[in-house]
Amino acid sequence: MGFLSREPRRLDPRSLNMSSFHIPTMAEMTAAGQSPEVLFWVGCAGSFDDRAKRITKAIARILDASETSFAVLGQEESCTGDPAKRAGNEFLYQMQAAQNIATLNGYGIKRIITGCPHCFNVLKNEYPELGGTYEVLHHTQFIRELIETGKLRMSDNSPFKGRRITFHDPCYLGRSNGEYLAPREVIAKLDAELLEMRRCKQNAMCCGAGGAQMFKEAESGDREVNHARTDQALETEPEVIATGCPFCNTMMTDGVKNAEQESNVVVKDIAELIAEAADLLDAPTS
Amino acid sequence: MISQLLFFLLLSTGIFFFTRRIGVIRRNIKSGQNWDGSDRAAERWATMARVALGQGKMTTRPVAGAMHILIYAGFVIINIEVLEILIDGLIGTHRVFAFLGPLYDFLIASFEWLAAGVILACIVFFVRRNGMAIARLASKDLKGWPSLDANIILVVEVLLMFAFLSMNAADAIAQSRGLEHYVAAGSFPVSSFLVPIYAGLTDAGVVAVERGMWWFHIAGVLAFLVYVPYSKHFHIILAFPNTYYSNLNPSGQMDNMAAVKKEVDLMMDPSADPFAAADPSDEPPARFGVKDATNLTWKQLLEAYTCTECGRCTSECPANHTGKLLSPRKIMMSTRDRIEEIGQQREANGGKWEPDGKSLLGDWITEEELWACTSCQACVEACPINISPMGIILDMRRSLIMEDSKSPESITSMFNNIENNGAPWAFSPGSRGDWTQEV
């Protein structure tokens, strides 16, 4: 292996168009008589929010690089109804659910991956009773699977080797669904130094966005929840605050800015870290 | 014979008032809505064994957890001694289990060590509550009666244990002097330290101390029995059914309201006749969501009576942590206060409920508290006996939105966006796939 000629091709989301590829919608695939292995449920933040779109693209690149057969719903995707439900609007939530379940069942979807823990929780736990039963994976779970099955390989020279990374557990991945390991196991593949906050896993503190808080001003208090949580993350003296949720990402990014630490600490989704660290040239081509 | 009669009267009075109070609480809890906990029995027993019997969630806070387990073990095991006291009291024997010989010595010795442990733990708890600035114990939630309640419990427990040890000390003296009735039985590793206090007394004085402490102890136990169901301390019993009926679903899973599902199904069904007469058999629900305590399920009311106000929920709550008004513990305390009030008014009114123009949401719990919740489930996770303050908060939001159409303006626009654009923000649904052109 000539190291010079095998400089790992990094999936840096900033270097767009490096490996341009087409992302099919379910409608296109169905028209072509095909069906993908997995549906990538993008979520509203991942579709519309500029920062979250970078995470979405990183996930898409990982799916592409691992030769996962996938599609998105595109315009047929609609809000799961999570913020409406948690704000008390069960009608709106169930209308959204009925519409999405009709779409998903219409395409015969079996397996879904999503980058949003809120979508993940609703799709996994709340849709089955309404007639939508799927195998639902959070992107960190799917990435772990890709690494374990050898479909995605990390570069031998991980750009994060020895870097100090702390992981902020999203409430709807962690406490809600007991998934504390997948994100940590994926981070471990980066050869980084994983730092735990004093409140982590079951006892992790919320970023402040859940329960529809993202869409309203906070009630009056001493300070913002995300600033308090970011302080806990900064106590570990990290170089990277890793997240697994687009809303946590926004909140922690704002927290880092508030603490005037943006020149020392970056907030990145695990998908972005992996996309940067994966060595695509070594991905199996069979 | 007279003392047996007196004992019988005392015991029956205690049991009478205890049972009557249990009946009231039972009725109050049953005034809640249906909730089905008849499924997954094996898993429910296992949860109860782990969380209540095994104190599985207590030691996440090591000091409070260890001290609690000491008191818990003391309470459960020393009750074997109460059984002996009951038999002695009713049939006029003295230390009826003495025939167990060495086993009896071992039992009495272990009760004594546990009694010492309980006294130690209660003193530590008392100091933590009153002498240290521990946020969750010094909180304004506990101002007044809740704080007094907690201190009464600790003081009474210390007094009962002290009476138990003094009784043994006097008994040991009586045994050594060979006094009538005082068979040589028991081993007194802790109370022997109290012997010098009573050693100077005459024989009659020693017997008076022994009898006096015996009566004080059992009368205190019975008074405590009556007190407990009026107090936060009732968790010593309700923790068991409450953990049996734990939510076994993922903590972030909210129920899908069946009444809403029916209407949505109808709306989505193209063959449904919108003008069809309503099926008279299915009545519409009284209301959507929770406004007053009786709109809660019986399980949520059970949780309110089970809460012992430890405040672990509140100390983990991100909203409370950042100075917001919301305190999950206060949600549970308010719920209990309100259902108690409803129960009392109903009783005063011959069992019939006349609306009093007040409600849990509005008069006890404010909208500001409800909207501060991030639904992060930290309170649910923190509760040592699986209570969910979050469940009540979210059910109340349902009432605010679906009954009263009351929401912060930004929440209303979020609803409108979802309804019109399929996303909580005002983006055109047509641009949902735009990112795919950028990879």
Side-chain angles (χ1 to χ4, degrees), chain A residues 57 77 79 85-87 90 93-94 126 129 172 175-176 199 210-211 213 216 219 222-223, chain B residues 252 254-257 261 316 322 324 371 373-377 397-398 401 422 432 438:
Chain A
K57 290 174 208 165
E77 187 183 291
C79 174
K85 186 178 180 82
R86 272 147 190 89
E90 181 75 7
Y93 155 74
Q94 287 209 17
E126 292 167 4
E129 200 188 25
Y172 279 88
R175 260 190 301 275
S176 276
R199 286 186 67 176
Q213 293 295 334
K216 58 183 267 299
E219 276 52 46
D222 307 332
R223 59 186 316 208
Chain B
M254 266 178 93
D255 64 311
N256 294 306
M257 292 174 71
K261 183 170 189 306
E316 295 287 329
T322 53
K324 318 288 194 291
W371 287 115
C373 174
T374 70
S375 77
C376 74
Q377 316 130 53
R397 284 186 179 181
R398 285 173 165 170
I401 299 300
R432 190 176 272 272
E438 299 164 15

mmCIF file of all heavy atoms in Angstrom, chain A residues 57 77 79 85-87 90 93-94 126 129 172 175-176 199 210-211 213 216 219 222-223, chain B residues 252 254-257 261 316 322 324 371 373-377 397-398 401 422 432 438:
data_model
loop_
_atom_site.group_PDB
_atom_site.id
_atom_site.type_symbol
_atom_site.label_atom_id
_atom_site.label_comp_id
_atom_site.label_asym_id
_atom_site.label_seq_id
_atom_site.Cartn_x
_atom_site.Cartn_y
_atom_site.Cartn_z
ATOM 1 N N LYS A 57 -26.554 15.419 4.565
ATOM 2 C CA LYS A 57 -25.664 15.084 3.447
ATOM 3 C C LYS A 57 -24.587 14.102 3.880
ATOM 4 O O LYS A 57 -24.209 13.202 3.125
ATOM 5 C CB LYS A 57 -25.037 16.360 2.880
ATOM 6 C CG LYS A 57 -26.041 17.233 2.137
ATOM 7 C CD LYS A 57 -25.393 18.551 1.740
ATOM 8 C CE LYS A 57 -26.443 19.645 1.654
ATOM 9 N NZ LYS A 57 -25.817 20.990 1.622
ATOM 10 N N GLU A 77 -42.457 13.055 2.128
ATOM 11 C CA GLU A 77 -42.226 13.004 3.568
ATOM 12 C C GLU A 77 -42.908 14.203 4.209
ATOM 13 O O GLU A 77 -42.940 15.289 3.632
ATOM 14 C CB GLU A 77 -40.721 13.043 3.854
ATOM 15 C CG GLU A 77 -40.368 12.822 5.313
ATOM 16 C CD GLU A 77 -38.859 12.950 5.566
ATOM 17 O OE1 GLU A 77 -38.096 12.086 5.112
ATOM 18 O OE2 GLU A 77 -38.461 13.938 6.215
ATOM 19 N N CYS A 79 -43.852 16.022 8.327
ATOM 20 C CA CYS A 79 -43.523 15.984 9.764
ATOM 21 C C CYS A 79 -44.190 14.781 10.430
ATOM 22 O O CYS A 79 -45.358 14.491 10.179
ATOM 23 C CB CYS A 79 -44.005 17.285 10.411
ATOM 24 S SG CYS A 79 -43.823 17.312 12.202
ATOM 25 N N LYS A 85 -47.588 16.697 18.924
ATOM 26 C CA LYS A 85 -48.050 15.792 19.975
ATOM 27 C C LYS A 85 -47.544 16.241 21.335
ATOM 28 O O LYS A 85 -48.297 16.293 22.295
ATOM 29 C CB LYS A 85 -47.558 14.375 19.670
ATOM 30 C CG LYS A 85 -48.101 13.293 20.612
ATOM 31 C CD LYS A 85 -47.582 11.921 20.184
ATOM 32 C CE LYS A 85 -48.079 10.799 21.070
ATOM 33 N NZ LYS A 85 -49.437 10.338 20.717
ATOM 34 N N ARG A 86 -46.262 16.598 21.389
ATOM 35 C CA ARG A 86 -45.689 16.962 22.686
ATOM 36 C C ARG A 86 -46.112 18.350 23.146
ATOM 37 O O ARG A 86 -45.969 18.684 24.323
ATOM 38 C CB ARG A 86 -44.177 16.768 22.661
ATOM 39 C CG ARG A 86 -43.865 15.342 23.058
ATOM 40 C CD ARG A 86 -42.687 14.700 22.433
ATOM 41 N NE ARG A 86 -42.691 13.261 22.769
ATOM 42 C CZ ARG A 86 -43.302 12.326 22.057
ATOM 43 N NH1 ARG A 86 -43.985 12.639 20.977
ATOM 44 N NH2 ARG A 86 -43.273 11.047 22.435
ATOM 45 N N ALA A 87 -46.657 19.108 22.228
ATOM 46 C CA ALA A 87 -47.236 20.394 22.634
ATOM 47 C C ALA A 87 -48.713 20.237 22.949
ATOM 48 O O ALA A 87 -49.381 21.218 23.261
ATOM 49 C CB ALA A 87 -47.029 21.438 21.538
ATOM 50 N N GLU A 90 -52.879 16.437 19.847
ATOM 51 C CA GLU A 90 -52.956 15.042 19.435
ATOM 52 C C GLU A 90 -53.655 14.893 18.078
ATOM 53 O O GLU A 90 -53.311 14.002 17.298
ATOM 54 C CB GLU A 90 -53.695 14.243 20.520
ATOM 55 C CG GLU A 90 -53.853 12.762 20.256
ATOM 56 C CD GLU A 90 -52.588 11.938 20.449
ATOM 57 O OE1 GLU A 90 -51.575 12.491 20.929
ATOM 58 O OE2 GLU A 90 -52.616 10.729 20.120
ATOM 59 N N TYR A 93 -51.117 15.642 15.374
ATOM 60 C CA TYR A 93 -50.164 14.536 15.345
ATOM 61 C C TYR A 93 -50.756 13.317 14.638
ATOM 62 O O TYR A 93 -50.134 12.720 13.758
ATOM 63 C CB TYR A 93 -49.728 14.164 16.770
ATOM 64 C CG TYR A 93 -49.265 12.724 16.887
ATOM 65 C CD1 TYR A 93 -48.034 12.328 16.378
ATOM 66 C CD2 TYR A 93 -50.088 11.753 17.463
ATOM 67 C CE1 TYR A 93 -47.636 11.002 16.444
ATOM 68 C CE2 TYR A 93 -49.698 10.441 17.542
ATOM 69 C CZ TYR A 93 -48.478 10.057 17.022
ATOM 70 O OH TYR A 93 -48.098 8.747 17.069
ATOM 71 N N GLN A 94 -51.979 12.963 15.012
ATOM 72 C CA GLN A 94 -52.548 11.744 14.420
ATOM 73 C C GLN A 94 -52.880 11.928 12.940
ATOM 74 O O GLN A 94 -52.825 10.964 12.165
ATOM 75 C CB GLN A 94 -53.774 11.294 15.222
ATOM 76 C CG GLN A 94 -53.370 10.683 16.565
ATOM 77 C CD GLN A 94 -54.349 9.642 17.078
ATOM 78 O OE1 GLN A 94 -55.173 9.118 16.348
ATOM 79 N NE2 GLN A 94 -54.249 9.324 18.368
ATOM 80 N N GLU A 126 -44.450 4.977 18.484
ATOM 81 C CA GLU A 126 -45.814 5.517 18.498
ATOM 82 C C GLU A 126 -46.611 5.206 17.236
ATOM 83 O O GLU A 126 -47.839 5.192 17.280
ATOM 84 C CB GLU A 126 -45.761 7.026 18.792
ATOM 85 C CG GLU A 126 -45.287 7.283 20.222
ATOM 86 C CD GLU A 126 -44.910 8.732 20.532
ATOM 87 O OE1 GLU A 126 -45.088 9.600 19.656
ATOM 88 O OE2 GLU A 126 -44.416 8.979 21.654
ATOM 89 N N GLU A 129 -48.934 1.331 16.839
ATOM 90 C CA GLU A 129 -50.309 1.199 17.288
ATOM 91 C C GLU A 129 -51.286 1.817 16.283
ATOM 92 O O GLU A 129 -52.470 1.471 16.259
ATOM 93 C CB GLU A 129 -50.448 1.908 18.644
ATOM 94 C CG GLU A 129 -51.641 1.449 19.436
ATOM 95 C CD GLU A 129 -51.845 2.331 20.677
ATOM 96 O OE1 GLU A 129 -51.415 3.499 20.681
ATOM 97 O OE2 GLU A 129 -52.433 1.833 21.616
ATOM 98 N N TYR A 172 -34.206 11.543 23.354
ATOM 99 C CA TYR A 172 -35.090 10.587 22.684
ATOM 100 C C TYR A 172 -34.348 9.411 22.061
ATOM 101 O O TYR A 172 -34.956 8.495 21.543
ATOM 102 C CB TYR A 172 -35.998 11.303 21.673
ATOM 103 C CG TYR A 172 -37.171 11.913 22.420
ATOM 104 C CD1 TYR A 172 -37.106 13.185 22.972
ATOM 105 C CD2 TYR A 172 -38.318 11.165 22.652
ATOM 106 C CE1 TYR A 172 -38.166 13.703 23.703
ATOM 107 C CE2 TYR A 172 -39.374 11.667 23.377
ATOM 108 C CZ TYR A 172 -39.296 12.940 23.902
ATOM 109 O OH TYR A 172 -40.345 13.430 24.641
ATOM 110 N N ARG A 175 -32.423 8.195 27.061
ATOM 111 C CA ARG A 175 -33.441 7.832 28.052
ATOM 112 C C ARG A 175 -34.676 7.185 27.427
ATOM 113 O O ARG A 175 -35.197 6.211 27.940
ATOM 114 C CB ARG A 175 -33.864 9.068 28.841
ATOM 115 C CG ARG A 175 -33.194 9.165 30.194
ATOM 116 C CD ARG A 175 -33.829 10.262 31.028
ATOM 117 N NE ARG A 175 -33.737 11.550 30.389
ATOM 118 C CZ ARG A 175 -32.696 12.364 30.474
ATOM 119 N NH1 ARG A 175 -31.654 12.016 31.198
ATOM 120 N NH2 ARG A 175 -32.686 13.526 29.859
ATOM 121 N N SER A 176 -35.131 7.735 26.300
ATOM 122 C CA SER A 176 -36.351 7.201 25.686
ATOM 123 C C SER A 176 -36.194 5.777 25.217
ATOM 124 O O SER A 176 -37.098 4.968 25.350
ATOM 125 C CB SER A 176 -36.741 8.025 24.461
ATOM 126 O OG SER A 176 -37.470 9.127 24.835
ATOM 127 N N ARG A 199 -22.876 14.551 33.759
ATOM 128 C CA ARG A 199 -24.240 14.058 33.522
ATOM 129 C C ARG A 199 -24.275 13.432 32.134
ATOM 130 O O ARG A 199 -24.260 14.134 31.135
ATOM 131 C CB ARG A 199 -25.263 15.191 33.648
ATOM 132 C CG ARG A 199 -25.507 15.598 35.101
ATOM 133 C CD ARG A 199 -26.608 16.612 35.236
ATOM 134 N NE ARG A 199 -27.917 16.045 34.874
ATOM 135 C CZ ARG A 199 -29.061 16.737 34.991
ATOM 136 N NH1 ARG A 199 -29.054 17.968 35.420
ATOM 137 N NH2 ARG A 199 -30.198 16.168 34.661
ATOM 138 N N GLY A 210 -36.303 19.811 23.392
ATOM 139 C CA GLY A 210 -37.383 18.822 23.278
ATOM 140 C C GLY A 210 -38.738 19.337 23.738
ATOM 141 O O GLY A 210 -38.860 20.429 24.282
ATOM 142 N N GLY A 211 -39.747 18.504 23.506
ATOM 143 C CA GLY A 211 -41.087 18.831 23.976
ATOM 144 C C GLY A 211 -41.620 20.105 23.348
ATOM 145 O O GLY A 211 -42.349 20.857 23.970
ATOM 146 N N GLN A 213 -40.016 22.759 22.720
ATOM 147 C CA GLN A 213 -39.319 23.977 23.178
ATOM 148 C C GLN A 213 -38.592 24.659 22.030
ATOM 149 O O GLN A 213 -38.413 25.877 22.030
ATOM 150 C CB GLN A 213 -38.284 23.665 24.264
ATOM 151 C CG GLN A 213 -38.846 23.192 25.576
ATOM 152 C CD GLN A 213 -39.680 24.238 26.280
ATOM 153 O OE1 GLN A 213 -39.499 25.429 26.077
ATOM 154 N NE2 GLN A 213 -40.619 23.803 27.090
ATOM 155 N N LYS A 216 -40.427 27.653 20.494
ATOM 156 C CA LYS A 216 -40.949 28.755 21.292
ATOM 157 C C LYS A 216 -39.833 29.385 22.116
ATOM 158 O O LYS A 216 -38.742 28.812 22.242
ATOM 159 C CB LYS A 216 -42.058 28.255 22.213
ATOM 160 C CG LYS A 216 -41.611 27.132 23.158
ATOM 161 C CD LYS A 216 -42.761 26.634 23.992
ATOM 162 C CE LYS A 216 -42.828 27.355 25.327
ATOM 163 N NZ LYS A 216 -41.627 27.186 26.171
ATOM 164 N N GLU A 219 -39.397 29.804 28.944
ATOM 165 C CA GLU A 219 -40.024 30.518 30.056
ATOM 166 C C GLU A 219 -38.927 31.292 30.798
ATOM 167 O O GLU A 219 -37.754 30.972 30.683
ATOM 168 C CB GLU A 219 -40.681 29.521 31.017
ATOM 169 C CG GLU A 219 -42.077 29.072 30.637
ATOM 170 C CD GLU A 219 -42.183 28.555 29.217
ATOM 171 O OE1 GLU A 219 -41.318 27.754 28.814
ATOM 172 O OE2 GLU A 219 -43.115 28.960 28.510
ATOM 173 N N ASP A 222 -33.284 31.696 35.281
ATOM 174 C CA ASP A 222 -31.963 32.295 35.489
ATOM 175 C C ASP A 222 -31.129 32.295 34.217
ATOM 176 O O ASP A 222 -30.329 33.179 33.976
ATOM 177 C CB ASP A 222 -31.159 31.506 36.541
ATOM 178 C CG ASP A 222 -31.925 31.334 37.819
ATOM 179 O OD1 ASP A 222 -32.763 32.208 38.103
ATOM 180 O OD2 ASP A 222 -31.699 30.322 38.520
ATOM 181 N N ARG A 223 -31.314 31.207 33.436
ATOM 182 C CA ARG A 223 -30.507 31.095 32.215
ATOM 183 C C ARG A 223 -31.133 30.097 31.260
ATOM 184 O O ARG A 223 -32.150 29.493 31.572
ATOM 185 C CB ARG A 223 -29.078 30.684 32.563
ATOM 186 C CG ARG A 223 -28.969 29.363 33.294
ATOM 187 C CD ARG A 223 -27.562 29.056 33.754
ATOM 188 N NE ARG A 223 -26.579 29.352 32.717
ATOM 189 C CZ ARG A 223 -25.406 28.725 32.608
ATOM 190 N NH1 ARG A 223 -25.077 27.780 33.459
ATOM 191 N NH2 ARG A 223 -24.560 29.037 31.654
ATOM 192 N N GLY B 252 -40.061 7.607 26.603
ATOM 193 C CA GLY B 252 -40.406 8.703 25.711
ATOM 194 C C GLY B 252 -41.634 8.445 24.870
ATOM 195 O O GLY B 252 -42.039 9.272 24.068
ATOM 196 N N MET B 254 -45.352 8.347 24.070
ATOM 197 C CA MET B 254 -46.626 8.894 24.557
ATOM 198 C C MET B 254 -47.742 8.026 24.009
ATOM 199 O O MET B 254 -47.652 7.513 22.903
ATOM 200 C CB MET B 254 -46.813 10.317 24.028
ATOM 201 C CG MET B 254 -46.341 11.407 24.969
ATOM 202 S SD MET B 254 -46.583 13.018 24.198
ATOM 203 C CE MET B 254 -48.198 13.469 24.834
ATOM 204 N N ASP B 255 -48.832 7.920 24.763
ATOM 205 C CA ASP B 255 -49.951 7.122 24.275
ATOM 206 C C ASP B 255 -50.618 7.820 23.098
ATOM 207 O O ASP B 255 -50.580 9.036 22.973
ATOM 208 C CB ASP B 255 -50.969 6.900 25.401
ATOM 209 C CG ASP B 255 -51.591 8.212 25.868
ATOM 210 O OD1 ASP B 255 -50.830 9.166 26.122
ATOM 211 O OD2 ASP B 255 -52.831 8.284 25.969
ATOM 212 N N ASN B 256 -51.215 7.021 22.221
ATOM 213 C CA ASN B 256 -52.031 7.562 21.134
ATOM 214 C C ASN B 256 -53.459 7.607 21.645
ATOM 215 O O ASN B 256 -54.042 6.580 21.961
ATOM 216 C CB ASN B 256 -51.948 6.653 19.905
ATOM 217 C CG ASN B 256 -50.550 6.641 19.296
ATOM 218 O OD1 ASN B 256 -49.989 7.673 18.976
ATOM 219 N ND2 ASN B 256 -49.972 5.453 19.163
ATOM 220 N N MET B 257 -54.028 8.795 21.721
ATOM 221 C CA MET B 257 -55.361 8.909 22.306
ATOM 222 C C MET B 257 -56.392 8.207 21.418
ATOM 223 O O MET B 257 -56.570 8.557 20.250
ATOM 224 C CB MET B 257 -55.736 10.376 22.483
ATOM 225 C CG MET B 257 -54.879 11.067 23.540
ATOM 226 S SD MET B 257 -55.204 12.839 23.618
ATOM 227 C CE MET B 257 -56.841 12.837 24.362
ATOM 228 N N LYS B 261 -58.058 8.938 17.664
ATOM 229 C CA LYS B 261 -57.837 8.007 16.564
ATOM 230 C C LYS B 261 -59.148 7.732 15.825
ATOM 231 O O LYS B 261 -59.208 7.682 14.600
ATOM 232 C CB LYS B 261 -57.235 6.699 17.071
ATOM 233 C CG LYS B 261 -56.929 5.729 15.948
ATOM 234 C CD LYS B 261 -56.113 4.531 16.400
ATOM 235 C CE LYS B 261 -55.639 3.692 15.213
ATOM 236 N NZ LYS B 261 -56.714 3.260 14.322
ATOM 237 N N GLU B 316 -33.156 16.977 38.885
ATOM 238 C CA GLU B 316 -32.633 16.586 37.567
ATOM 239 C C GLU B 316 -33.304 17.355 36.441
ATOM 240 O O GLU B 316 -32.918 17.228 35.283
ATOM 241 C CB GLU B 316 -32.864 15.085 37.327
ATOM 242 C CG GLU B 316 -32.102 14.152 38.273
ATOM 243 C CD GLU B 316 -30.607 14.080 37.975
ATOM 244 O OE1 GLU B 316 -30.221 14.222 36.805
ATOM 245 O OE2 GLU B 316 -29.832 13.908 38.932
ATOM 246 N N THR B 322 -32.483 25.560 35.579
ATOM 247 C CA THR B 322 -32.158 26.871 35.017
ATOM 248 C C THR B 322 -33.125 27.949 35.497
ATOM 249 O O THR B 322 -33.327 28.960 34.825
ATOM 250 C CB THR B 322 -32.150 26.824 33.476
ATOM 251 O OG1 THR B 322 -33.397 26.259 33.028
ATOM 252 C CG2 THR B 322 -31.026 25.966 32.939
ATOM 253 N N LYS B 324 -36.444 27.986 35.987
ATOM 254 C CA LYS B 324 -37.841 28.114 35.545
ATOM 255 C C LYS B 324 -38.762 27.720 36.702
ATOM 256 O O LYS B 324 -38.344 27.082 37.672
ATOM 257 C CB LYS B 324 -38.117 27.216 34.330
ATOM 258 C CG LYS B 324 -37.023 27.206 33.269
ATOM 259 C CD LYS B 324 -36.974 28.510 32.474
ATOM 260 C CE LYS B 324 -36.132 28.374 31.217
ATOM 261 N NZ LYS B 324 -34.677 28.214 31.468
ATOM 262 N N TRP B 371 -45.467 24.761 30.163
ATOM 263 C CA TRP B 371 -44.729 25.064 28.931
ATOM 264 C C TRP B 371 -43.228 25.040 29.133
ATOM 265 O O TRP B 371 -42.467 25.127 28.165
ATOM 266 C CB TRP B 371 -45.199 26.401 28.345
ATOM 267 C CG TRP B 371 -46.558 26.283 27.727
ATOM 268 C CD1 TRP B 371 -47.697 26.900 28.136
ATOM 269 C CD2 TRP B 371 -46.938 25.443 26.615
ATOM 270 N NE1 TRP B 371 -48.760 26.502 27.345
ATOM 271 C CE2 TRP B 371 -48.321 25.618 26.410
ATOM 272 C CE3 TRP B 371 -46.246 24.559 25.786
ATOM 273 C CZ2 TRP B 371 -49.031 24.940 25.404
ATOM 274 C CZ3 TRP B 371 -46.947 23.901 24.788
ATOM 275 C CH2 TRP B 371 -48.325 24.090 24.604
ATOM 276 N N CYS B 373 -41.625 22.497 30.288
ATOM 277 C CA CYS B 373 -41.151 21.099 30.212
ATOM 278 C C CYS B 373 -40.541 20.803 28.849
ATOM 279 O O CYS B 373 -41.104 21.168 27.827
ATOM 280 C CB CYS B 373 -42.317 20.147 30.484
ATOM 281 S SG CYS B 373 -41.904 18.401 30.249
ATOM 282 N N THR B 374 -39.386 20.122 28.836
ATOM 283 C CA THR B 374 -38.742 19.744 27.577
ATOM 284 C C THR B 374 -39.037 18.301 27.211
ATOM 285 O O THR B 374 -38.492 17.782 26.250
ATOM 286 C CB THR B 374 -37.212 19.935 27.639
ATOM 287 O OG1 THR B 374 -36.683 18.946 28.534
ATOM 288 C CG2 THR B 374 -36.811 21.310 28.135
ATOM 289 N N SER B 375 -39.874 17.644 27.998
ATOM 290 C CA SER B 375 -40.229 16.230 27.815
ATOM 291 C C SER B 375 -38.994 15.332 27.754
ATOM 292 O O SER B 375 -38.985 14.347 27.039
ATOM 293 C CB SER B 375 -41.119 16.032 26.576
ATOM 294 O OG SER B 375 -40.389 16.087 25.375
ATOM 295 N N CYS B 376 -37.969 15.682 28.527
ATOM 296 C CA CYS B 376 -36.700 14.952 28.449
ATOM 297 C C CYS B 376 -36.701 13.681 29.271
ATOM 298 O O CYS B 376 -35.789 12.879 29.188
ATOM 299 C CB CYS B 376 -35.545 15.854 28.899
ATOM 300 S SG CYS B 376 -35.477 16.119 30.688
ATOM 301 N N GLN B 377 -37.714 13.508 30.124
ATOM 302 C CA GLN B 377 -37.880 12.305 30.948
ATOM 303 C C GLN B 377 -36.836 12.158 32.059
ATOM 304 O O GLN B 377 -36.702 11.082 32.643
ATOM 305 C CB GLN B 377 -37.890 11.011 30.110
ATOM 306 C CG GLN B 377 -38.724 11.074 28.856
ATOM 307 C CD GLN B 377 -37.965 10.602 27.652
ATOM 308 O OE1 GLN B 377 -37.408 9.509 27.659
ATOM 309 N NE2 GLN B 377 -37.901 11.411 26.627
ATOM 310 N N ARG B 397 -51.111 19.649 28.837
ATOM 311 C CA ARG B 397 -50.943 20.409 27.596
ATOM 312 C C ARG B 397 -52.054 20.022 26.619
ATOM 313 O O ARG B 397 -52.545 20.859 25.874
ATOM 314 C CB ARG B 397 -49.583 20.104 26.967
ATOM 315 C CG ARG B 397 -48.422 20.782 27.661
ATOM 316 C CD ARG B 397 -47.147 20.524 26.860
ATOM 317 N NE ARG B 397 -45.987 21.169 27.441
ATOM 318 C CZ ARG B 397 -44.778 21.092 26.910
ATOM 319 N NH1 ARG B 397 -44.569 20.411 25.790
ATOM 320 N NH2 ARG B 397 -43.747 21.697 27.475
ATOM 321 N N ARG B 398 -52.437 18.762 26.618
ATOM 322 C CA ARG B 398 -53.509 18.320 25.720
ATOM 323 C C ARG B 398 -54.798 19.074 26.017
ATOM 324 O O ARG B 398 -55.533 19.452 25.111
ATOM 325 C CB ARG B 398 -53.742 16.813 25.876
ATOM 326 C CG ARG B 398 -52.655 15.988 25.212
ATOM 327 C CD ARG B 398 -52.805 14.508 25.505
ATOM 328 N NE ARG B 398 -51.993 13.708 24.589
ATOM 329 C CZ ARG B 398 -51.777 12.415 24.709
ATOM 330 N NH1 ARG B 398 -52.332 11.744 25.707
ATOM 331 N NH2 ARG B 398 -51.042 11.775 23.839
ATOM 332 N N ILE B 401 -54.515 22.726 24.751
ATOM 333 C CA ILE B 401 -54.614 22.874 23.300
ATOM 334 C C ILE B 401 -55.983 22.426 22.789
ATOM 335 O O ILE B 401 -56.662 23.160 22.077
ATOM 336 C CB ILE B 401 -53.510 22.038 22.595
ATOM 337 C CG1 ILE B 401 -52.124 22.526 23.011
ATOM 338 C CG2 ILE B 401 -53.677 22.089 21.081
ATOM 339 C CD1 ILE B 401 -51.837 23.956 22.687
ATOM 340 N N GLY B 422 -46.426 20.745 6.301
ATOM 341 C CA GLY B 422 -45.880 19.443 6.686
ATOM 342 C C GLY B 422 -44.554 19.558 7.402
ATOM 343 O O GLY B 422 -43.772 18.608 7.457
ATOM 344 N N ARG B 432 -38.536 20.343 0.109
ATOM 345 C CA ARG B 432 -38.052 19.361 1.061
ATOM 346 C C ARG B 432 -36.891 18.530 0.523
ATOM 347 O O ARG B 432 -35.988 18.142 1.265
ATOM 348 C CB ARG B 432 -39.194 18.430 1.498
ATOM 349 C CG ARG B 432 -38.829 17.530 2.655
ATOM 350 C CD ARG B 432 -40.006 16.695 3.107
ATOM 351 N NE ARG B 432 -40.835 17.340 4.093
ATOM 352 C CZ ARG B 432 -40.622 17.279 5.416
ATOM 353 N NH1 ARG B 432 -39.598 16.626 5.891
ATOM 354 N NH2 ARG B 432 -41.437 17.880 6.231
ATOM 355 N N GLU B 438 -27.601 18.894 -3.652
ATOM 356 C CA GLU B 438 -26.370 19.521 -3.174
ATOM 357 C C GLU B 438 -25.322 18.511 -2.748
ATOM 358 O O GLU B 438 -24.289 18.867 -2.236
ATOM 359 C CB GLU B 438 -26.687 20.446 -1.988
ATOM 360 C CG GLU B 438 -27.645 21.562 -2.343
ATOM 361 C CD GLU B 438 -28.258 22.215 -1.117
ATOM 362 O OE1 GLU B 438 -27.741 21.996 0.008
ATOM 363 O OE2 GLU B 438 -29.275 22.921 -1.266
#
